[in-house]
Amino acid sequence: MTDEDDTVTRHLDNRRERLDEYLDREGLDAVWFARPNSFSWLTGGSNVVSRDADVGVAAAGYDRDDGWVVITDNIEAQRLADEELPDEFTVEETAWYESSLADAVADRTTGSAAADFDVPGLASVNASALRQPLSETDIERYRELGRETADAVERVARELEPEDTEHEVAAALKISLSTRGINAPVVLAGGSERAQKYRHFTPTFTELGDYAILSVTAERGGLYASTTRTVAFDPPEWLSERHSQAMQVETSALAATQAVSRLNGTASSVFDNIMAAYEHLGIPEEWREHHQGGAAGYAGREWFASPDTERPVETPMAYAYNPTVQGAKSEDTVLVTEDDAEVLTTTGEWPTRPVRGWDHEFAIERHEILHLSSE
């Protein structure tokens, strides 16, 4: 057995175990996934043709009697079988002009079933809950994605100049990611003028000026990694302090995540710690200006931490917290386990320093501001 075959076997064994448990619990015979992130979670491949579509061109299913099945139309069937799916999946095709994907799934299904998109006669499945926590094969792929995402962003960041426009930077980020086979659903590039005014600095033709913040959420194989880097040419005096504050809030959120997971707690408890960290830093209202991030995985955020989020905090799981303090931001995707934390979006080639979470015996390396010459 090759390493690739072994990975596929371990991947499908994990999915089978989770789905058998789900079908038993819900009293179902089959479950179907056509939304791109859950299709990728199940198959390891992609069903995306148009990135504007909420539902892909194929549905992947697990059936008690027939095992792994994919339904699609005759346009996509051979390509998916050749390029996107493990050999364990049987591909069944319909004529593109005869029925919709939902109708094809409904016609194919016998017994009781659920789906993650609207299918006549089928129940709805909470796919996010099935995707958590991460499996061993998820983590292996996440490490590669995180490292390559960070490398793509850092290579662009090191070449920046004050006269570059935000649009030029965003274009460079997209190209840098694309050459690594990574999609970029979110690319933010804020120069010193707009990064101080807005928390989401969608790119414009404004020049970077004194400093810049680059933020991306990247996707490959259904997994999402978020990271932020700050570069400075002639930064304002307050930038270093605010960046340090954002790093401490982020670290406090990660520390609280690990602690809450041990207690089988929920995301609202993590958010209590986030608010306490802002309070400790003397900026108690800053959390109101921007969401704080949360669990990552087969979505940019599987959930966002907030005062009322009662989603379970699980490990091993990726977390991407993104606190902002006016004009500054700290963000990475971090694998949190019961007794450890590993920054996934890192190359080891960017300046870092250890930061301790407030009110926790927990420290982790955080990415500092990179100072570049303005000449």
Side-chain angles (χ1 to χ4, degrees):
M1 179 182 291
T2 66
D3 290 344
E4 183 177 353
D5 290 339
D6 176 66
T7 298
V8 170
T9 297
R10 289 187 293 121
H11 170 89
L12 291 178
D13 284 348
N14 172 267
R15 292 346 186 213
R16 181 181 291 106
E17 180 180 346
R18 294 193 190 191
L19 293 178
D20 279 340
E21 181 181 333
Y22 167 74
L23 295 178
D24 289 343
R25 184 174 65 248
E26 300 297 324
L28 299 173
D29 300 302
V31 60
W32 297 92
F33 303 96
R35 296 190 182 277
N37 51 354
S38 292
F39 184 95
S40 293
W41 171 79
L42 184 59
T43 68
S46 172
N47 66 346
V48 173
V49 171
S50 169
R51 295 204 169 273
D52 289 336
D54 292 334
V55 174
V57 296
Y62 177 66
D63 186 288
R64 285 188 187 275
D65 295 326
D66 299 327
W68 309 111
V69 183
V70 164
I71 294 178
T72 188
D73 61 35
N74 61 300
I75 302 172
E76 310 296 343
Q78 192 61 54
R79 179 182 64 83
L80 294 178
D82 290 345
E83 299 179 347
E84 299 292 347
L85 299 171
D87 292 339
E88 288 80 355
F89 279 82
T90 300
V91 179
E92 300 180 4
E93 67 178 71
T94 61
W96 65 265
Y97 51 85
E98 287 186 349
S99 66
S100 68
L101 181 60
D103 288 339
V105 169
D107 292 342
R108 166 63 174 74
T109 301
T110 57
S112 57
D116 73 340
F117 67 120
D118 291 335
V119 178
L122 270 62
S124 177
V125 57
N126 179 1
S128 179
L130 289 173
R131 299 193 298 256
Q132 301 177 61
L134 297 174
S135 69
E136 287 184 7
T137 54
D138 294 332
I139 292 169
E140 291 165 6
R141 293 196 301 116
Y142 230 140
R143 288 189 173 114
E144 294 182 8
L145 172 63
R147 182 177 62 254
E148 292 184 32
T149 297
D151 183 61
V153 173
E154 291 175 9
R155 286 179 182 271
V156 171
R158 289 192 185 92
E159 301 299 321
L160 297 182
E161 297 179 356
E163 296 78 20
D164 293 335
T165 69
E166 295 169 343
H167 267 311
E168 289 171 335
V169 176
L173 287 169
K174 292 176 183 177
I175 292 171
S176 187
L177 290 164
S178 180
T179 59
R180 293 161 174 81
I182 301 173
N183 302 308
V186 178
V187 175
L188 304 177
S192 55
E193 176 187 339
R194 297 181 66 251
Q196 296 177 56
K197 294 172 63 177
Y198 310 115
R199 306 291 166 137
H200 285 159
F201 24 82
T202 53
T204 68
F205 289 106
T206 305
E207 293 184 354
L208 298 182
D210 294 336
Y211 75 97
I213 303 176
L214 281 55
S215 296
V216 305
T217 293
E219 179 272 332
R220 186 173 64 192
L223 288 169
Y224 287 75
S226 298
T227 191
T228 292
R229 295 292 183 270
T230 302
V231 296
F233 310 106
D234 184 20
E237 293 182 0
W238 49 258
L239 181 61
S240 179
E241 179 183 6
R242 294 183 190 177
H243 185 80
S244 294
Q245 290 173 324
M247 288 195 298
Q248 184 161 62
V249 173
E250 182 191 13
T251 305
S252 299
L254 292 165
T257 296
Q258 189 175 74
V260 170
S261 72
R262 292 170 178 165
L263 299 172
N264 297 317
T266 65
S268 62
S269 295
V270 175
F271 196 79
D272 290 342
N273 279 258
I274 291 173
M275 289 193 295
Y278 278 114
E279 179 81 29
H280 167 71
L281 292 167
I283 45 175
E285 300 302 312
E286 276 294 302
W287 67 268
R288 299 181 184 276
E289 303 302 323
H290 186 236
H291 72 77
Q292 303 300 303
Y298 284 87
R301 300 294 187 273
E302 295 282 7
W303 49 254
F304 288 89
S306 75
D308 301 319
T309 304
E310 296 305 319
R311 298 289 295 275
V313 178
E314 303 196 56
T315 58
M317 192 66 197
Y319 290 90
Y321 294 106
N322 46 248
T324 61
V325 179
Q326 186 179 10
K329 181 180 181 181
S330 184
E331 176 187 32
D332 272 304
T333 303
V334 179
L335 175 67
V336 179
T337 64
E338 184 177 356
D339 54 9
D340 199 8
E342 173 188 348
V343 181
L344 297 173
T345 45
T346 189
T347 63
E349 299 176 359
W350 191 273
T352 65
R353 67 176 172 87
V355 177
R356 184 172 297 279
W358 178 72
D359 203 29
H360 290 273
E361 292 297 321
F362 175 103
I364 195 167
E365 291 290 323
R366 300 307 311 116
H367 289 98
E368 284 273 35
I369 298 169
L370 179 67
H371 291 267
L372 301 174
S373 172
S374 60
E375 298 180 357

